[in-house]
Amino acid sequence: MIKLGIIDDNTFLLKAVKEKLSFFDDFSIKFTAVNGVDLLAKLEQSHNVDLLLMDIEMPGMNGIEATEIVKQKYPQIKVIMLTVLDNDENIFKSIKAGADGYLLKEVNPKDLRQGILDTMGGGATMTPSIALKTLRLFRNPIDFDTVPDPEAVKLTTREIEVLEQLSKGLKYNLIADNLFLSVGTVRKHIENIYTKLQVHNKLEAIQKAKNNNLI
């Protein structure tokens, strides 16, 4: 029986992970935690756990910070990052922090189970798209610790307006109506935003914009 801990601040996604694991009888969920601080407090009480499924974006202490501390204090505990974020910086920093694997939350129950078993067997499980990104990072290393050039993440006023609307969860047609633009123009602005911020999806764009105080 493999003893697991699940760390995620989103109760809906936490429940989804539990449901995926419920198909199998070789796992026991010892505890759940809502962020890194909560996790470390629970490990202080009892670190009788084999593997942690760790979200990245959490308030208080994120999953990457928590992984680094867990690996220092409890090196025997395996950690798989289980997240919706697949941007290069998170992958790189997770591996650097000591993560044993990196899976996207869209993973199906069978692959999640196999990933846990592989990790417990000494392997390093990764969603195929993450593995490709990791290989690319090793071939072309990026220094994520350098301070970004503010000019590199500068958006126009209109692009910021579009991104603010996007961050509210609005669809392209509603953004177009609100800003008196065509849907095609909104789509073009979003393409430009992704290019300037060097991101691949809405979640990454919003997070990076917030990190750079653009929205």
Side-chain angles (χ1 to χ4, degrees):
M1 182 71 69
I2 297 173
K3 299 181 288 293
L4 303 174
I6 308 173
I7 303 88
D8 200 318
D9 65 314
N10 186 311
T11 52
F12 174 78
L13 295 175
L14 187 66
K15 184 181 177 184
V17 174
K18 282 184 172 181
E19 286 179 355
K20 289 179 182 181
L21 294 170
S22 69
F23 288 101
F24 315 106
D25 56 10
D26 42 5
F27 302 130
S28 169
I29 300 173
K30 302 299 288 185
F31 65 81
T32 62
V34 296
N35 59 26
V37 176
D38 188 23
L39 164 66
L40 294 174
K42 288 180 176 176
L43 288 176
E44 283 288 337
Q45 294 173 359
S46 172
H47 50 268
N48 182 27
V49 64
D50 300 308
L51 185 144
L52 303 174
L53 294 172
M54 184 86 73
D55 186 27
I56 290 181
E57 291 294 332
M58 296 179 289
M61 180 188 292
N62 68 40
I64 295 172
E65 294 166 335
T67 296
E68 189 168 10
I69 296 171
V70 167
K71 284 298 182 176
Q72 288 170 358
K73 297 184 73 172
Y74 315 103
Q76 77 281 6
I77 297 177
K78 303 286 188 181
V79 179
I80 295 177
M81 312 309 286
L82 190 61
T83 176
V84 296
L85 301 172
D86 67 344
N87 63 310
D88 293 353
E89 185 171 359
N90 279 325
I91 297 168
F92 176 82
K93 288 188 173 179
S94 295
I95 293 171
K96 192 175 176 183
D100 300 283
Y102 198 115
L103 296 173
L104 296 181
K105 284 181 179 173
E106 63 196 32
V107 65
N108 63 55
K110 180 182 174 184
D111 289 341
L112 177 58
R113 175 181 182 271
Q114 192 58 52
I116 292 170
L117 295 178
D118 288 346
T119 302
M120 290 304 301
T125 187
M126 285 189 181
T127 301
S129 61
I130 299 296
L132 285 172
K133 283 174 173 279
T134 305
L135 284 174
R136 192 181 71 221
L137 278 171
F138 278 107
R139 291 189 189 115
N140 302 291
I142 301 170
D143 185 0
F144 291 108
D145 295 321
T146 56
V147 178
D149 178 359
E151 291 298 316
V153 290
K154 190 170 184 179
L155 301 180
T156 66
T157 302
R158 181 59 93 186
E159 286 165 352
I160 290 171
E161 289 174 347
V162 169
L163 192 52
E164 284 174 340
Q165 297 274 312
L166 199 63
S167 71
K168 295 173 183 175
L170 300 182
K171 303 292 186 184
Y172 289 9
N173 61 329
L174 284 176
I175 295 174
D177 290 344
N178 289 343
L179 299 179
F180 304 101
L181 300 171
S182 71
V183 173
T185 300
V186 169
R187 200 179 302 277
K188 186 61 182 174
H189 279 311
I190 291 172
E191 286 176 8
N192 291 339
I193 290 167
Y194 287 7
T195 300
K196 288 183 178 181
L197 296 181
Q198 297 181 317
V199 297
H200 307 96
N201 57 51
K202 181 177 75 173
L203 281 174
E204 291 180 18
I206 293 167
Q207 188 60 52
K208 192 159 187 179
K210 287 180 178 177
N211 290 345
N212 286 277
N213 298 314
L214 295 172
I215 59 173

